[in-house]
Amino acid sequence: MKARTNPARRDPYEGFPGRVGRTFAESEPAWPARTAPPEKAPNIVVVLVDDMGYSDIGPFGSEIATPTLTALAEEGVRLTNYHTMPLCSPARAALLTGLNPHRVGYAMVANSDPGFPGYGMEIADDIPTLAELLHDAGYATYAVGKWHLVRDSASSAADDRANWPLRKGFDQYYGVLEGLTSLFHPHQLVRDNSPLDIDEFPEDYYYTDDITDQAISMVKSLRAHDPDKPFLLYLAHNAVHGPLQAKEEDIDRHRGRYDEGWDVLRERRFAAQLDGGLFPPGTELPERNTEAGLSVPAWAGLTEEQQKLYARYMEVYAALVDNIDQNLGRLTATLEALGELDNTIIVFTSDNGGTGEGGAEGTRSYFSRFVHHPALPGDWTPDVDRDPALIGGPRSLVHYPRGWGMASNTPFRLYKGHTYAGGVRVPFVLSWPRGAREGRLAPGLRTQYQYVTDVAPTLLRLAGLERPAERRGVAVQEPDGADFTPVLADADQRSTHPEQYCEMTGNRSYYRDGHKLVTLHRPGTPYDDSEWALYDIRTDPTEIHDLAHGQPGLVKELSAAWEEAARINGVFPLPDGSGALARRNPAEQRLSRPLTLLPGTPELERYRSSRLIALRSFTIDVAVDEQGEGVLVSHGDQGGGYSLYVEDGRLRFAYNEYGVLHETDAGPAAPGTQLITLTATAEPGLRWAFTVRAGGEVRAAPPSVHQLIGMAPFQGISVGIDRKSPVSWPLYERHGAFRHSGRLRSVTYRPGEPGPDSPDAVAAALKDAAAAFE
């Protein structure tokens, strides 16, 4: 009698290649084939720096000593005409997938959610990452540092983690999911799939050192367990993104180096670039950036006080670059000690160009400078008067003036966020000693145009792998990038990437065979052909001589090509004056319901915390069963925040207004059960009026202060302690994290009505303004 087939019950012996008898003696064993990469497959290390300009390392003209990178460049290949996306998340999506970022869903950084496909901020299952493809082939895969490929609203411990590193092909991860952090007190470290619950960091803690330690540990552990398995290490630095923070000993090495200013620095770097053959003879250095809102003053026209302050910012930036090279040296020394360096491909590059986010003056108050809100009041302070001795340390969240960003991008125009070369041309070094010996790459310079989407297919080819047509039974999306291994092997080969569109916040460009069409879009204005400028970057790589008026036919041809590329890549809709980029998924409204936090709750993640207070009134009820000394509730850090605490028997309220500390004494703290309430009333002009009550009695009503908006408070809410970077540094110096010694019952947040400057109100105003403009 024939057995019935049951599709829900698989025959355990079906497909087994051995023989199964009644006993072991009557059976023959068989084992599944082990997935293994090609013989002698190289290790791959991708070092991605954040916001580093073209000229910031020694092999690309810098005066900053980067001996590790210099050695890698001398024995490897430098791509002098490598282009990327002009912003963080889109560049990372393109690098790791080989697809244009809009197709992947990263038209913008992963901090927006306007509700369109290009802004989905999720890598779909039919778009495999480099890590997934290498892992499928038998590689170990590790990631450390900045991720920024998960939307901020999906970065909490309650998220499904579908777009966290371990679900995108990495075996292990350690770092920060968001786009920036404090290098002395990271706001939320994640190991693998779990946020770490950290109260305080060691006094000598420094994030760049830490992620390098973690990377080295991963490699050592692999080799201890498996002598042959190749690995991918994706080492994504948060440096040199603001806020700029560096170790004192690193800053000291650069004291006085930038006293002559950005104009002299730019000329010296350009001379070094010409001398090193990075650009053809006759290349011109553009004048200082003069575009409205982006201009840079002459250094000689600054006051002596300004020059002294601004030079200090650049000393810190140089120390960051210096430290990155030191840590890369520690990693390469480890590989050398393991006998792995010879067969390791090391790629070093930046996600985008140097930034002008620091404004004309720079800032010691990063989060107030970083705010982009159309209703900023006239008394808003984008800088605070902090002791210059604090610049670069844990107490000051600084960014350099955009004059230094211009110098970082030498010899190009404009900055991060722009589709001009300053935003998209960055250093690129690739080293592989064994590959050089075997003729797979010929050391030296390459002037061919190559694009960020080319990195993944090139590394796959160097590893001896082909990108599959399907994965796990699903057809995969075709890549946009082109393998440039022929260019690595032969300097005379043609570029493998002859054509490319680009778009970022309305700034557009189109490259084809040496010609580049580009715009500098003014937000809220129409998109039309009058915006286009045309350059021949073969003879004019610094984009000085606009050919648009003389070649209208080519402008029309390339602009039509841009429109077609935009359509098939999911670029539309383009940003306008409607305020749509401020929109969030309506499902997030649940995050503004009242929330009760119990003692012992891990720190609430930054974005989740912000939904309780951002641009609105709110109330915090602290239920105390037994009063003690210490922090009752805290939210924020040295860049901005607030806390309620009891010290010496007195209830106190601290408000850190982007670096300016306001302390309020709210009287004696009752010893027994009590309800303490902090109320914030949102007022016009982006202000909060606070009231502190205890037992129903008004104890304090300090003067109103600027609201914390944008990315502030950057650290989340903690109950009974002020974790990591403190709201009040003097209190931290006296007590550290100052865990509460009494008994707290709960802390309840009650979000109130949106304030007069809320996103909905602003979006409505912008929409009206856009209609009036039209």
Side-chain angles (χ1 to χ4, degrees):
M1 179 170 149
K2 188 175 181 183
R4 293 182 188 172
T5 51
N6 181 353
R9 189 177 183 88
R10 187 178 72 249
D11 179 353
Y13 303 114
E14 184 180 355
F16 178 63
R19 189 177 79 249
V20 178
R22 186 171 180 79
T23 66
F24 277 108
E26 299 169 323
S27 307
E28 291 183 5
W31 289 268
R34 177 176 172 268
T35 300
E39 187 179 358
K40 294 184 179 180
N43 303 316
I44 298 172
V45 176
V46 177
V47 182
L48 186 65
V49 183
D50 200 346
D51 290 3
M52 174 179 277
Y54 187 88
S55 71
D56 281 334
I57 60 173
F60 281 77
S62 181
E63 74 295 335
I64 303 169
T66 52
T68 304
L69 282 166
T70 297
L72 292 174
E74 286 175 350
E75 64 184 18
V77 168
R78 281 177 287 168
L79 302 186
T80 65
N81 197 8
Y82 171 79
H83 286 62
T84 180
M85 282 293 291
L87 219 54
C88 310
S89 303
R92 290 157 200 275
L95 185 146
L96 286 175
T97 67
L99 274 69
N100 289 325
H102 296 85
R103 286 182 64 203
V104 190
Y106 292 85
M108 183 64 171
V109 290
N111 301 81
S112 60
D113 190 11
F116 295 99
Y119 296 82
M121 308 299 170
E122 293 182 355
I123 304 175
D125 290 341
D126 61 354
I127 302 176
T129 67
L130 175 65
E132 287 175 306
L133 295 178
L134 289 174
H135 192 275
D136 290 350
Y139 271 69
T141 52
Y142 306 121
V144 297
K146 173 173 173 172
W147 183 240
H148 212 196
L149 288 172
V150 59
R151 185 182 282 114
D152 50 10
S153 59
S155 296
S156 76
D159 189 67
D160 64 7
R161 295 160 167 80
N163 228 51
W164 291 29
L166 264 62
R167 294 278 289 275
K168 292 302 163 190
F170 290 101
D171 293 320
Q172 291 182 252
Y173 170 69
Y174 179 88
V176 172
L177 293 177
E178 289 200 273
L180 58 107
T181 198
S182 164
L183 300 186
F184 289 105
H185 302 118
H187 68 292
Q188 180 180 265
L189 282 172
V190 171
R191 185 182 296 281
D192 297 334
N193 262 347
S194 299
L196 298 178
D197 195 13
I198 297 170
D199 289 349
E200 296 181 84
F201 289 100
E203 281 192 18
D204 63 348
Y205 179 87
Y206 190 65
Y207 175 78
T208 307
D209 296 343
D210 184 18
I211 61 172
T212 304
D213 287 343
Q214 298 292 329
I216 289 172
S217 177
M218 291 172 184
V219 171
K220 285 181 176 178
S221 178
L222 173 66
R223 278 299 162 260
H225 291 89
D226 190 318
D228 302 315
K229 192 172 192 176
F231 64 84
L232 164 68
L233 171 61
Y234 175 56
L235 201 171
H237 288 285
N238 285 77
V240 290
H241 195 292
L244 305 181
Q245 296 176 312
K247 297 192 294 187
E248 194 62 36
E249 61 266 32
D250 291 332
I251 298 174
D252 286 344
R253 278 193 294 279
H254 300 277
R255 291 276 187 236
R257 174 169 282 176
Y258 299 100
D259 292 352
E260 292 179 288
W262 47 63
D263 292 324
V264 170
L265 180 67
R266 194 162 167 254
E267 290 169 358
R268 286 178 178 164
R269 287 188 174 185
F270 184 53
Q273 291 169 338
L274 289 177
D275 187 57
L278 273 65
F279 297 100
T283 300
E284 302 170 63
L285 181 66
E287 297 295 322
R288 283 185 301 274
N289 294 328
T290 58
E291 293 79 1
L294 305 168
S295 63
V296 175
W299 183 264
L302 302 175
T303 67
E304 184 178 346
E305 183 181 4
Q306 287 174 318
Q307 291 179 348
K308 187 175 181 180
L309 175 63
Y310 297 176
R312 180 62 188 268
Y313 290 130
M314 187 60 190
E315 292 168 3
V316 176
Y317 183 87
L320 283 163
V321 176
D322 180 344
N323 181 265
I324 287 170
D325 190 80
Q326 292 175 50
N327 276 293
L328 182 56
R330 292 201 297 128
L331 176 60
T332 56
T334 301
L335 295 174
E336 182 71 53
L338 291 169
E340 302 277 332
L341 187 59
D342 182 65
N343 195 29
T344 297
I345 299 168
I346 297 178
V347 170
F348 180 96
T349 189
S350 177
D351 58 353
N352 47 250
T355 180
E357 291 165 346
E361 305 86 17
T363 185
R364 289 157 287 183
S365 179
Y366 182 77
F367 291 122
S368 64
R369 170 69 72 182
F370 200 56
V371 163
H372 301 288
H373 193 291
L376 282 183
D379 65 345
W380 191 268
T381 306
D383 189 18
V384 296
D385 188 11
R386 301 294 296 274
D387 183 350
L390 300 178
I391 289 174
R395 296 179 58 185
S396 185
L397 277 65
V398 307
H399 214 325
Y400 63 13
R402 59 176 172 249
W404 295 122
M406 176 186 68
S408 286
N409 294 331
T410 302
F412 303 123
R413 295 172 55 193
L414 299 177
Y415 318 94
K416 169 187 177 180
H418 299 127
T419 47
Y420 273 81
V424 298
R425 286 188 72 167
V426 293
F428 188 102
V429 175
L430 189 150
S431 169
W432 183 22
R434 185 174 76 86
R437 285 200 320 276
E438 295 177 356
R440 305 283 298 279
L441 64 85
L445 298 177
R446 298 293 186 276
T447 60
Q448 294 88 335
Y449 177 99
Q450 299 295 160
Y451 195 62
V452 61
T453 53
D454 302 339
V455 174
T458 299
L459 292 176
L460 281 175
R461 180 60 59 85
L462 292 176
L465 301 170
E466 296 291 334
R467 193 174 191 273
E470 65 174 44
R471 182 172 183 265
R472 298 179 180 174
V474 176
V476 302
Q477 294 293 301
E478 66 178 4
D480 297 299
D483 155 32
F484 58 80
T485 54
V487 172
L488 295 176
D490 183 356
D492 293 328
Q493 286 286 333
R494 292 177 60 84
S495 164
T496 62
H497 201 118
E499 202 160 345
Q500 181 63 44
Y501 86 94
C502 187
E503 185 275 332
M504 179 54 57
T505 61
N507 292 313
R508 299 172 288 161
S509 73
Y510 199 86
Y511 170 85
R512 179 185 286 168
D513 289 330
H515 282 98
K516 180 181 174 184
L517 199 64
V518 63
T519 71
L520 178 60
H521 182 70
R522 187 162 62 88
T525 60
Y527 293 95
D528 58 42
D529 283 354
S530 67
E531 286 193 312
W532 292 116
L534 177 67
Y535 302 98
D536 185 339
I537 65 171
R538 296 166 297 187
T539 57
D540 180 25
T542 52
E543 299 170 344
I544 296 175
H545 303 289
D546 183 3
L547 308 175
H549 291 301
Q551 300 191 47
L554 185 55
V555 170
K556 185 175 181 180
E557 177 185 335
L558 295 182
S559 65
W562 186 93
E563 292 288 334
E564 175 62 13
R567 185 188 63 79
I568 64 175
N569 282 281
V571 173
F572 300 120
L574 291 170
D576 55 20
S578 66
L581 280 178
R583 281 196 210 117
R584 286 284 179 165
N585 190 324
E588 286 190 23
Q589 291 176 6
R590 74 191 192 284
L591 302 181
S592 57
R593 296 200 300 255
L595 174 67
T596 296
L597 302 169
L598 301 179
T601 301
E603 182 179 294
L604 201 64
E605 184 271 330
R606 177 198 70 80
Y607 185 79
R608 175 69 182 97
S609 297
S610 74
R611 297 305 87 193
L612 300 169
I613 71 165
L615 297 167
R616 68 190 324 137
S617 300
F618 63 94
T619 298
I620 310 171
D621 288 330
V622 182
V624 180
D625 283 339
E626 181 182 326
Q627 194 56 270
E629 297 275 303
V631 173
L632 301 168
V633 62
S634 69
H635 183 187
D637 49 39
Q638 282 292 284
Y642 57 88
S643 69
L644 276 171
Y645 64 94
V646 176
E647 184 183 31
D648 298 330
R650 300 188 72 81
L651 177 63
R652 300 178 185 273
F653 171 56
Y655 188 81
N656 188 320
E657 190 180 23
Y658 299 103
V660 176
L661 184 63
H662 306 275
E663 296 267 16
T664 301
D665 188 329
T673 301
Q674 191 177 46
L675 183 67
I676 298 169
T677 300
L678 177 68
T679 301
T681 302
E683 299 180 335
L686 292 166
R687 301 189 76 83
W688 274 323
F690 283 99
T691 304
V692 182
R693 291 180 173 85
E697 174 192 354
V698 174
R699 291 289 198 86
S704 69
V705 289
H706 288 126
Q707 294 179 27
L708 299 171
I709 62 175
M711 300 294 283
F714 197 64
Q715 203 166 285
I717 296 168
S718 288
V719 173
I721 192 171
D722 190 351
R723 293 181 168 97
K724 294 169 284 195
S725 178
V727 172
S728 168
W729 194 269
L731 185 69
Y732 171 76
E733 288 185 317
R734 295 194 295 269
H735 302 290
F738 206 15
R739 185 178 289 277
H740 192 260
S741 63
R743 278 195 301 122
L744 299 179
R745 186 186 314 158
S746 62
V747 171
T748 299
Y749 274 75
R750 304 184 193 280
E753 291 299 311
D757 305 304
S758 68
D760 289 343
V762 170
L766 287 172
K767 192 170 184 179
D768 291 344
F773 179 83
E774 294 294 341

mmCIF file of all heavy atoms in Angstrom, residues 8 95 118 120-121 274 291 354 406 422 468 476 488 529 567 653 660 688 708 764:
data_model
loop_
_atom_site.group_PDB
_atom_site.id
_atom_site.type_symbol
_atom_site.label_atom_id
_atom_site.label_comp_id
_atom_site.label_asym_id
_atom_site.label_seq_id
_atom_site.Cartn_x
_atom_site.Cartn_y
_atom_site.Cartn_z
ATOM 1 N N ALA A 8 2.868 18.847 4.432
ATOM 2 C CA ALA A 8 3.231 19.499 5.696
ATOM 3 C C ALA A 8 4.123 18.611 6.558
ATOM 4 O O ALA A 8 4.509 19.001 7.660
ATOM 5 C CB ALA A 8 1.968 19.873 6.472
ATOM 6 N N LEU A 95 26.846 52.362 -1.477
ATOM 7 C CA LEU A 95 28.100 51.629 -1.332
ATOM 8 C C LEU A 95 27.845 50.166 -0.990
ATOM 9 O O LEU A 95 28.491 49.259 -1.543
ATOM 10 C CB LEU A 95 28.959 52.286 -0.251
ATOM 11 C CG LEU A 95 30.373 51.720 -0.057
ATOM 12 C CD1 LEU A 95 31.344 52.832 0.344
ATOM 13 C CD2 LEU A 95 30.399 50.627 1.001
ATOM 14 N N GLY A 118 10.992 56.696 -2.595
ATOM 15 C CA GLY A 118 12.398 57.070 -2.509
ATOM 16 C C GLY A 118 12.861 57.386 -1.107
ATOM 17 O O GLY A 118 14.057 57.510 -0.852
ATOM 18 N N GLY A 120 11.791 55.478 1.620
ATOM 19 C CA GLY A 120 11.347 54.341 2.419
ATOM 20 C C GLY A 120 12.289 53.971 3.547
ATOM 21 O O GLY A 120 11.884 53.406 4.554
ATOM 22 N N MET A 121 13.588 54.239 3.390
ATOM 23 C CA MET A 121 14.615 53.992 4.411
ATOM 24 C C MET A 121 14.659 52.534 4.862
ATOM 25 O O MET A 121 14.927 52.243 6.016
ATOM 26 C CB MET A 121 14.415 54.899 5.637
ATOM 27 C CG MET A 121 14.281 56.362 5.330
ATOM 28 S SD MET A 121 15.753 57.041 4.499
ATOM 29 C CE MET A 121 15.147 58.669 4.024
ATOM 30 N N LEU A 274 48.709 69.364 -7.104
ATOM 31 C CA LEU A 274 49.281 69.517 -8.441
ATOM 32 C C LEU A 274 50.638 68.828 -8.527
ATOM 33 O O LEU A 274 50.949 68.131 -9.505
ATOM 34 C CB LEU A 274 49.412 70.996 -8.797
ATOM 35 C CG LEU A 274 48.111 71.753 -9.070
ATOM 36 C CD1 LEU A 274 48.416 73.222 -9.330
ATOM 37 C CD2 LEU A 274 47.361 71.150 -10.265
ATOM 38 N N GLU A 291 28.641 81.892 -2.898
ATOM 39 C CA GLU A 291 27.207 81.715 -3.082
ATOM 40 C C GLU A 291 26.443 82.164 -1.830
ATOM 41 O O GLU A 291 26.899 81.977 -0.695
ATOM 42 C CB GLU A 291 26.892 80.249 -3.393
ATOM 43 C CG GLU A 291 27.420 79.785 -4.747
ATOM 44 C CD GLU A 291 28.896 79.455 -4.764
ATOM 45 O OE1 GLU A 291 29.557 79.559 -3.683
ATOM 46 O OE2 GLU A 291 29.421 79.095 -5.835
ATOM 47 N N GLY A 354 33.385 67.407 2.618
ATOM 48 C CA GLY A 354 33.412 68.189 3.847
ATOM 49 C C GLY A 354 32.214 69.119 3.930
ATOM 50 O O GLY A 354 31.623 69.520 2.929
ATOM 51 N N MET A 406 35.467 74.384 3.262
ATOM 52 C CA MET A 406 35.954 74.726 1.927
ATOM 53 C C MET A 406 37.384 74.218 1.739
ATOM 54 O O MET A 406 37.729 73.648 0.689
ATOM 55 C CB MET A 406 35.881 76.235 1.729
ATOM 56 C CG MET A 406 36.440 76.741 0.411
ATOM 57 S SD MET A 406 36.485 78.561 0.324
ATOM 58 C CE MET A 406 37.747 78.919 1.563
ATOM 59 N N GLY A 422 32.502 69.680 -4.444
ATOM 60 C CA GLY A 422 32.799 69.719 -3.019
ATOM 61 C C GLY A 422 31.944 68.761 -2.215
ATOM 62 O O GLY A 422 32.368 68.282 -1.156
ATOM 63 N N PRO A 468 24.618 37.026 -7.876
ATOM 64 C CA PRO A 468 23.628 36.081 -8.387
ATOM 65 C C PRO A 468 22.422 36.791 -8.982
ATOM 66 O O PRO A 468 22.112 37.929 -8.636
ATOM 67 C CB PRO A 468 23.236 35.292 -7.136
ATOM 68 C CG PRO A 468 23.446 36.256 -6.012
ATOM 69 C CD PRO A 468 24.648 37.075 -6.400
ATOM 70 N N VAL A 476 16.825 39.070 -7.654
ATOM 71 C CA VAL A 476 17.388 40.268 -7.035
ATOM 72 C C VAL A 476 17.381 41.419 -8.031
ATOM 73 O O VAL A 476 17.427 41.220 -9.251
ATOM 74 C CB VAL A 476 18.813 40.018 -6.507
ATOM 75 C CG1 VAL A 476 18.826 38.877 -5.505
ATOM 76 C CG2 VAL A 476 19.788 39.741 -7.651
ATOM 77 N N LEU A 488 41.643 49.084 -12.152
ATOM 78 C CA LEU A 488 42.651 48.826 -11.125
ATOM 79 C C LEU A 488 43.880 48.150 -11.726
ATOM 80 O O LEU A 488 45.012 48.444 -11.321
ATOM 81 C CB LEU A 488 42.065 47.934 -10.031
ATOM 82 C CG LEU A 488 40.931 48.518 -9.190
ATOM 83 C CD1 LEU A 488 40.400 47.470 -8.214
ATOM 84 C CD2 LEU A 488 41.395 49.758 -8.428
ATOM 85 N N ASP A 529 15.262 74.658 -16.465
ATOM 86 C CA ASP A 529 16.567 74.562 -17.116
ATOM 87 C C ASP A 529 17.464 75.766 -16.855
ATOM 88 O O ASP A 529 18.666 75.701 -17.117
ATOM 89 C CB ASP A 529 16.387 74.367 -18.623
ATOM 90 C CG ASP A 529 15.985 72.937 -18.969
ATOM 91 O OD1 ASP A 529 15.967 72.098 -18.040
ATOM 92 O OD2 ASP A 529 15.683 72.663 -20.134
ATOM 93 N N ARG A 567 13.148 59.386 -13.287
ATOM 94 C CA ARG A 567 11.898 58.627 -13.341
ATOM 95 C C ARG A 567 12.136 57.158 -13.039
ATOM 96 O O ARG A 567 11.423 56.554 -12.238
ATOM 97 C CB ARG A 567 11.247 58.782 -14.718
ATOM 98 C CG ARG A 567 9.868 58.130 -14.833
ATOM 99 C CD ARG A 567 9.353 58.129 -16.257
ATOM 100 N NE ARG A 567 10.192 57.351 -17.158
ATOM 101 C CZ ARG A 567 10.159 56.011 -17.243
ATOM 102 N NH1 ARG A 567 9.330 55.326 -16.476
ATOM 103 N NH2 ARG A 567 10.937 55.373 -18.090
ATOM 104 N N PHE A 653 16.201 71.999 39.687
ATOM 105 C CA PHE A 653 15.890 71.803 38.266
ATOM 106 C C PHE A 653 17.033 72.384 37.456
ATOM 107 O O PHE A 653 17.406 73.553 37.626
ATOM 108 C CB PHE A 653 14.572 72.497 37.921
ATOM 109 C CG PHE A 653 14.260 72.547 36.450
ATOM 110 C CD1 PHE A 653 14.200 71.393 35.684
ATOM 111 C CD2 PHE A 653 14.007 73.767 35.814
ATOM 112 C CE1 PHE A 653 13.902 71.442 34.329
ATOM 113 C CE2 PHE A 653 13.718 73.836 34.469
ATOM 114 C CZ PHE A 653 13.659 72.658 33.716
ATOM 115 N N VAL A 660 24.276 76.359 27.544
ATOM 116 C CA VAL A 660 24.137 77.355 28.612
ATOM 117 C C VAL A 660 23.322 76.709 29.723
ATOM 118 O O VAL A 660 22.167 76.326 29.516
ATOM 119 C CB VAL A 660 23.441 78.634 28.110
ATOM 120 C CG1 VAL A 660 23.229 79.608 29.264
ATOM 121 C CG2 VAL A 660 24.250 79.278 26.999
ATOM 122 N N TRP A 688 9.939 77.544 26.011
ATOM 123 C CA TRP A 688 9.213 76.815 27.040
ATOM 124 C C TRP A 688 9.223 77.644 28.316
ATOM 125 O O TRP A 688 10.283 78.198 28.707
ATOM 126 C CB TRP A 688 9.882 75.479 27.364
ATOM 127 C CG TRP A 688 9.499 74.332 26.501
ATOM 128 C CD1 TRP A 688 8.278 74.042 25.973
ATOM 129 C CD2 TRP A 688 10.379 73.272 26.073
ATOM 130 N NE1 TRP A 688 8.327 72.880 25.239
ATOM 131 C CE2 TRP A 688 9.600 72.384 25.290
ATOM 132 C CE3 TRP A 688 11.720 72.985 26.280
ATOM 133 C CZ2 TRP A 688 10.132 71.234 24.707
ATOM 134 C CZ3 TRP A 688 12.253 71.856 25.716
ATOM 135 C CH2 TRP A 688 11.474 70.979 24.930
ATOM 136 N N LEU A 708 14.270 72.825 23.164
ATOM 137 C CA LEU A 708 15.247 71.918 22.576
ATOM 138 C C LEU A 708 14.574 71.238 21.393
ATOM 139 O O LEU A 708 13.607 70.487 21.565
ATOM 140 C CB LEU A 708 15.710 70.890 23.609
ATOM 141 C CG LEU A 708 16.395 71.498 24.839
ATOM 142 C CD1 LEU A 708 16.611 70.429 25.902
ATOM 143 C CD2 LEU A 708 17.714 72.158 24.459
ATOM 144 N N ALA A 764 1.905 74.116 7.286
ATOM 145 C CA ALA A 764 0.806 74.912 6.738
ATOM 146 C C ALA A 764 1.291 76.279 6.288
ATOM 147 O O ALA A 764 0.913 76.775 5.220
ATOM 148 C CB ALA A 764 -0.303 75.045 7.773
#
